[in-house]
Amino acid sequence: MILATVGAQMPFPRLVSALDDWARANPAVEMLVQIGDQDPPPASVPHIALLDPETLRDRIRDAELTVAHAGMGTIITCLELGAPLVIFPRDGDQRETRNNHQIDTARRFGERDGIWVADDAAALHRLLDDRAELRAGTPTSPQTSPRLIAAIREFIDG
């Protein structure tokens, strides 16, 4: 199953439309898209308004692939679970968010194993078509890095 989420704060019509188009051409692939309060809803892809955090985590764990905006909650969950993730960042220039912080986030995390970035529908469709080739990264510890703690301690203590 392919799971997609737009987050809980605002709709993301460009991502949902791209997923809906791909689902229409690939009806045999099981998908679920968390769409928030998007109106109108997608025509072809199964969707739900919102998943609670525990259910979302379970669905990410069980999914073949997760597609998401560049929200840190989904990125961290996928890293912790070692779940493959395609980030489709909101574009500030298209007024999908207040600035281009999601594009910057996607570029940064797109350098990690198990995370890919699609900037447009064509790139997303190629990644979905090739999803069998996308490999999960190694799960990341949910604990704070000892190196980070030492750096903060050194900064505070001088």
Short mmCIF file of all heavy atoms in Angstrom, two decimals, residues 141-149 152:
data_model
loop_
_atom_site.label_atom_id
_atom_site.label_comp_id
_atom_site.label_asym_id
_atom_site.label_seq_id
_atom_site.Cartn_x
_atom_site.Cartn_y
_atom_site.Cartn_z
N SER A 141 17.67 6.07 15.60
CA SER A 141 17.28 6.04 17.01
C SER A 141 16.42 7.25 17.36
O SER A 141 16.73 8.37 16.95
CB SER A 141 18.52 6.05 17.90
OG SER A 141 18.15 6.24 19.25
N PRO A 142 15.36 7.03 18.13
CA PRO A 142 14.55 8.17 18.57
C PRO A 142 15.21 8.94 19.71
O PRO A 142 14.71 9.97 20.14
CB PRO A 142 13.24 7.53 19.03
CG PRO A 142 13.63 6.15 19.43
CD PRO A 142 14.77 5.76 18.53
N GLN A 143 16.35 8.45 20.22
CA GLN A 143 17.06 9.11 21.31
C GLN A 143 17.93 10.24 20.77
O GLN A 143 18.41 10.19 19.65
CB GLN A 143 17.94 8.10 22.05
CG GLN A 143 17.19 6.88 22.55
CD GLN A 143 16.05 7.25 23.50
OE1 GLN A 143 16.24 8.07 24.37
NE2 GLN A 143 14.89 6.64 23.33
N THR A 144 18.14 11.25 21.58
CA THR A 144 18.99 12.37 21.20
C THR A 144 20.44 11.90 21.04
O THR A 144 20.94 11.14 21.86
CB THR A 144 18.91 13.48 22.26
OG1 THR A 144 17.55 13.85 22.42
CG2 THR A 144 19.72 14.68 21.86
N SER A 145 21.07 12.39 20.01
CA SER A 145 22.45 12.02 19.73
C SER A 145 23.37 12.45 20.87
O SER A 145 23.34 13.62 21.30
CB SER A 145 22.90 12.71 18.44
OG SER A 145 24.29 12.76 18.35
N PRO A 146 24.22 11.55 21.38
CA PRO A 146 25.19 11.94 22.41
C PRO A 146 26.10 13.07 21.93
O PRO A 146 26.50 13.93 22.71
CB PRO A 146 25.98 10.65 22.67
CG PRO A 146 25.08 9.55 22.24
CD PRO A 146 24.27 10.12 21.10
N ARG A 147 26.42 13.08 20.63
CA ARG A 147 27.26 14.15 20.08
C ARG A 147 26.56 15.50 20.18
O ARG A 147 27.18 16.51 20.52
CB ARG A 147 27.59 13.82 18.62
CG ARG A 147 28.73 14.62 18.09
CD ARG A 147 29.17 14.11 16.74
NE ARG A 147 28.95 15.18 15.79
CZ ARG A 147 28.64 15.02 14.55
NH1 ARG A 147 28.52 13.83 14.04
NH2 ARG A 147 28.47 16.05 13.76
N LEU A 148 25.25 15.54 19.92
CA LEU A 148 24.49 16.78 20.04
C LEU A 148 24.44 17.24 21.49
O LEU A 148 24.64 18.43 21.79
CB LEU A 148 23.08 16.61 19.49
CG LEU A 148 22.15 17.83 19.65
CD1 LEU A 148 22.71 19.05 18.91
CD2 LEU A 148 20.75 17.49 19.15
N ILE A 149 24.18 16.31 22.39
CA ILE A 149 24.13 16.67 23.82
C ILE A 149 25.48 17.23 24.26
O ILE A 149 25.54 18.25 24.96
CB ILE A 149 23.72 15.44 24.66
CG1 ILE A 149 22.27 15.07 24.36
CG2 ILE A 149 23.94 15.72 26.15
CD1 ILE A 149 21.83 13.77 24.98
N ILE A 152 25.91 20.81 22.90
CA ILE A 152 25.10 21.78 23.65
C ILE A 152 25.71 22.03 25.03
O ILE A 152 25.80 23.18 25.47
CB ILE A 152 23.64 21.29 23.75
CG1 ILE A 152 22.98 21.29 22.37
CG2 ILE A 152 22.84 22.16 24.73
CD1 ILE A 152 21.62 20.61 22.32
#
